[in-house]
Amino acid sequence: MKIAVGIPTYNRARVLLDTIRDTLQQDPPADEIVVVDQSDWYPEGAEEDLLALAQNGAIRYFRQEEPNLPKARNRILSETTCDIVIFIDDDVQLSPGFVGAHSVNYQDDAVWAVCGRVTERDIPVRPEAERTWPKVLDYKLFDPGWTQPIDDFGIVKGGNHSVRRERALALGGYDEAYIGVALREETDLAFRITQAGGTIRFDPTAHLHHLRAPAGGCRVSVWGDWTAGCAALRFALKHRKQLGRYFWSELWHAYRLGVLNKNNIRQPLSIVRKTIGFAVELTRLIERLNP
């Protein structure tokens, strides 16, 4: 099997270059590194360095004018011909053997996707707990910094996951309607994988450390609380059958993100206005998702 590492990026060129260099040092290496750059700003010399890496064949480099994370992921799936694509964030440090740790899982044909372990700068890993909740709640209750492998997992982590390319494309790829913050976009694909009969595996040996770069990426401070709420709302409605009774807590979560957030809580008129907007968005999504 051929393995690609895919890196969507937005306004993080300097730390992206460090991530690329880290990826190039992997042993075994990836067969190719595909970068989709959505940036509209570069520190001095960074764009030239990226173009030089592309020109010497170290990476495959594509520009995307519209910043949209799922669209960037789909571009990577369409541009590579590798069997497996490992998606990583643009501000990470990879553990030794990271690429190989992902790829070995695909010796099992039942595995359609792998979620790797993620530790975060300045965010401690929660104490490990026995996984007693249903798989459908992995996206809420499982800490991706934990070290227990799981053969039948419910999610993938956006900044560290891999997919069988053909399986992902057959499912329609990543949903590009998750705009802005694009919250739950990777969980959306994970739910479609398990619904279609595929297996997701959590492999903690495929570990990376997320540096949490202070700018760029899919931050609420860049794209706004409203896009986070709308994304969570879309996820809840698309997967209400799988979520079952947990649908209602996800709907409430969407409302809190988009409306009852810290930026609006002391502005009653803003809450009223956005509540009306939330109801309109809810109605629109119901119509679109139930033609």
Side-chain angles (χ1 to χ4, degrees):
M1 292 182 296
K2 288 189 175 182
I3 312 293
V5 172
I7 311 177
T9 185
Y10 177 71
N11 285 355
R12 286 178 176 164
R14 187 57 63 194
V15 70
L16 167 66
L17 286 163
D18 293 336
T19 297
I20 291 171
R21 295 183 186 108
D22 195 21
T23 306
L24 288 169
Q25 294 173 3
Q26 281 287 298
D27 183 19
D31 293 283
E32 64 180 15
I33 300 170
V34 186
V35 176
V36 173
D37 189 354
Q38 309 162 88
S39 303
D40 55 22
W41 171 86
Y42 299 89
E44 184 178 355
E47 186 174 19
E48 291 77 9
D49 289 345
L50 286 168
L51 292 174
L53 285 169
Q55 288 169 1
N56 69 25
I59 64 173
R60 299 184 65 205
Y61 181 73
F62 303 94
R63 287 279 308 155
Q64 179 174 292
E65 294 304 317
E66 176 193 4
N68 179 302
L69 176 56
K71 186 175 182 178
R73 294 197 197 279
N74 287 336
R75 179 73 183 274
I76 290 167
L77 289 176
S78 66
E79 292 292 349
T80 187
T81 58
C82 290
D83 305 284
I84 308 301
V85 179
I86 305 171
F87 286 100
I88 62 174
D89 276 351
D90 52 8
D91 57 339
V92 299
Q93 294 174 334
L94 308 182
S95 293
F98 172 83
V99 170
H102 267 279
S103 64
V104 72
N105 288 282
Y106 291 97
Q107 294 176 7
D108 183 349
D109 291 338
V111 174
W112 291 16
V114 173
C115 179
R117 180 174 180 243
V118 179
T119 52
E120 306 260 3
R121 175 181 283 177
D122 299 327
I123 298 180
V125 176
R126 300 199 313 268
E128 296 208 21
E130 184 180 355
R131 183 171 170 259
T132 57
W133 54 84
K135 182 171 67 174
V136 73
L137 290 185
D138 279 339
Y139 77 100
K140 279 192 171 184
L141 301 179
F142 190 87
D143 189 323
W146 289 348
T147 57
Q148 52 185 343
I150 297 175
D151 289 334
D152 185 22
F153 201 47
I155 58 167
V156 294
K157 185 69 174 175
N160 182 6
H161 74 278
S162 58
V163 295
R164 288 190 189 270
R165 174 177 172 270
E166 291 298 332
R167 292 292 192 182
L169 288 173
L171 291 172
Y174 296 82
D175 185 348
E176 296 177 14
Y178 286 87
I179 61 173
V181 176
L183 183 70
R184 307 279 195 244
E185 54 90 21
E186 76 272 45
T187 311
D188 176 282
L189 179 63
F191 272 38
R192 285 185 280 134
I193 286 173
T194 57
Q195 191 173 31
T199 294
I200 300 172
R201 184 172 290 169
F202 176 71
D203 186 348
T205 64
H207 169 245
L208 59 73
H209 187 61
H210 185 208
L211 299 175
R212 301 180 71 236
C218 292
R219 296 189 176 277
V220 169
S221 59
V222 176
W223 302 108
D225 300 291
W226 182 251
T227 66
C230 287
L233 178 60
R234 180 175 184 82
F235 171 76
L237 288 172
K238 278 188 72 173
H239 300 289
R240 57 193 180 278
K241 290 184 179 178
Q242 283 173 278
L243 289 169
R245 62 190 176 93
Y246 305 112
F247 162 78
W248 299 105
S249 62
E250 187 64 25
L251 187 64
W252 172 244
H253 178 64
Y255 180 71
R256 289 187 61 191
L257 284 173
V259 180
L260 291 184
N261 55 66
K262 62 182 180 181
N263 294 321
N264 295 330
I265 199 66
R266 295 184 180 180
Q267 303 179 55
L269 290 179
S270 180
I271 290 177
V272 171
R273 186 174 65 253
K274 289 199 171 183
T275 296
I276 294 171
F278 188 85
V280 170
E281 181 69 10
L282 176 63
T283 302
R284 185 185 67 84
L285 282 173
I286 290 172
E287 291 175 349
R288 286 194 174 186
L289 296 171
N290 297 279

